[in-house]
Amino acid sequence: MSTTETGGVTAERTVKVEGASSDAVIATFVAEHYDRLLRLARLVCQDKSDAADAVQIGLEHAWRRRSTLRDERRLKPWLDRIVVREAVRISKGRRSWLGRLLRPQVEVGWIEPPDRQRPEPSTMVALRVAFERLSPEQRAVVTLHIHAGYTVAETAAMVGAPTETVRSRLRLARERLRQEFEESRP
Amino acid sequence: MTGRMSDQRLDFEIRQFLAWQAEEIGDAPSATEMAARVKARVGESRTGFRLTPNSPGSW
């Protein structure tokens, strides 16, 4: 990803430039990255509260470990990686029998209800159902590669999997989405 | 149903869908609220709480 996409000031630089309190710097840090991270987590988790949790945990983790980031140009992919991995971890917990036992409401969380104010064509409904049925790992690679625009190699590094594994997840995910999409077309 | 669509067309449709679904965050906490939560956990004055306390293995 390019330097310009990293955008804005990093937390550390803000401290030096403005001499602000750590709370003020955190507010800037969160404001700069929150919307993007929430969208990534929402796609991976398929659950709004899980997505917010993943972002919060990820931002806390990133803030605590910010001194380990040597290249400020890598801030955006570094944050994306942390939050997407957290989103996968939370989603996998949901899929386990223990997760369903502890938080059973999530199984009915995302198929219904969509936003009633927005039209939802049949193809979107089909893709929604098919995407929700993918594994969290598949949703993560689809989100990072197709939605966020990371290369396959970058995606592999971010999810901590071999490149061929990521290619395989993408291929399977595309086939499942293709099947649902083509069957839904009028 | 017509023939099998191209990979490029499929990716376009998936991208459209993902962009559409990613907007479904209307009732999520605001950035200000999220910053307050993060600050409460890692900031100068820690009085933290979480949106979902029973998420496994987080704290």
Side-chain angles (χ1 to χ4, degrees):
Chain A
M1 305 300 288
S2 71
T3 304
T4 54
E5 288 179 47
T6 302
V9 292
T10 66
E12 292 296 340
R13 196 187 307 158
T14 306
V15 170
K16 291 172 186 171
V17 171
E18 300 177 1
S21 70
S22 114
D23 282 357
V25 177
I26 291 171
T28 302
F29 179 65
V30 172
E32 186 174 330
H33 299 283
Y34 178 60
D35 281 355
R36 183 189 79 255
L37 296 173
L38 186 61
R39 284 167 170 76
L40 292 177
R42 185 264 177 273
L43 291 173
V44 176
C45 290
Q46 295 290 293
D47 178 276
K48 292 178 183 177
S49 64
D50 280 354
D53 277 1
V55 174
Q56 181 177 343
I57 294 167
L59 285 169
E60 291 172 12
H61 182 72
W63 183 257
R64 291 190 176 105
R65 300 197 60 196
R66 65 195 185 282
S67 63
T68 66
L69 181 66
R70 297 181 184 278
D71 183 354
E72 290 181 352
R73 292 172 300 180
R74 302 293 302 165
L75 177 62
K76 177 177 174 287
W78 184 67
L79 286 173
D80 290 357
R81 184 192 71 183
I82 290 170
V83 169
V84 166
R85 286 190 180 192
E86 186 61 31
V88 169
R89 188 190 67 77
I90 289 174
S91 294
K92 288 173 72 175
R94 292 284 202 192
R95 288 162 64 95
S96 71
W97 68 269
L98 183 60
R100 290 195 297 272
L101 183 65
L102 293 173
R103 300 185 66 180
Q105 76 279 8
V106 299
E107 295 300 323
V108 294
W110 265 113
I111 302 275
E112 296 290 342
D115 187 341
R116 301 294 185 197
Q117 302 301 313
R118 306 170 70 199
E120 191 167 22
S122 60
T123 51
M124 288 295 189
V125 174
L127 287 173
R128 174 194 289 275
V129 172
F131 192 66
E132 195 273 341
R133 287 177 179 161
L134 298 179
S135 70
E137 292 91 344
Q138 288 172 328
R139 289 200 298 269
V141 298
V142 168
T143 297
L144 288 169
H145 180 60
I146 299 180
H147 175 69
Y150 289 104
T151 66
V152 171
E154 288 170 334
T155 299
M158 293 172 81
V159 300
T163 302
E164 283 311 308
T165 300
V166 169
R167 289 191 199 282
S168 173
R169 288 175 185 168
L170 283 168
R171 180 176 51 78
L172 290 171
R174 279 191 175 108
E175 283 308 306
R176 290 180 182 177
L177 293 169
R178 175 195 295 279
Q179 183 177 1
E180 293 290 338
F181 182 83
E182 291 185 339
E183 288 178 359
S184 72
R185 283 196 294 178
Chain B
M1 192 177 79
T2 57
R4 179 183 171 93
M5 76 171 74
S6 69
D7 290 345
Q8 290 81 6
R9 172 72 194 280
L10 177 65
D11 273 11
F12 173 79
E13 297 290 347
I14 294 172
R15 197 170 291 112
Q16 293 282 102
F17 161 73
L18 294 174
W20 182 82
Q21 192 178 56
E23 293 301 316
E24 290 183 344
I25 52 172
D27 55 354
S30 67
T32 303
E33 186 179 350
M34 181 58 68
R37 292 177 179 181
V38 173
K39 281 188 283 187
R41 297 285 305 177
V42 302
E44 291 166 344
S45 55
R46 299 182 187 183
T47 56
F49 61 94
R50 275 199 52 210
L51 180 68
T52 312
N54 62 344
S55 184
S58 300
W59 309 112

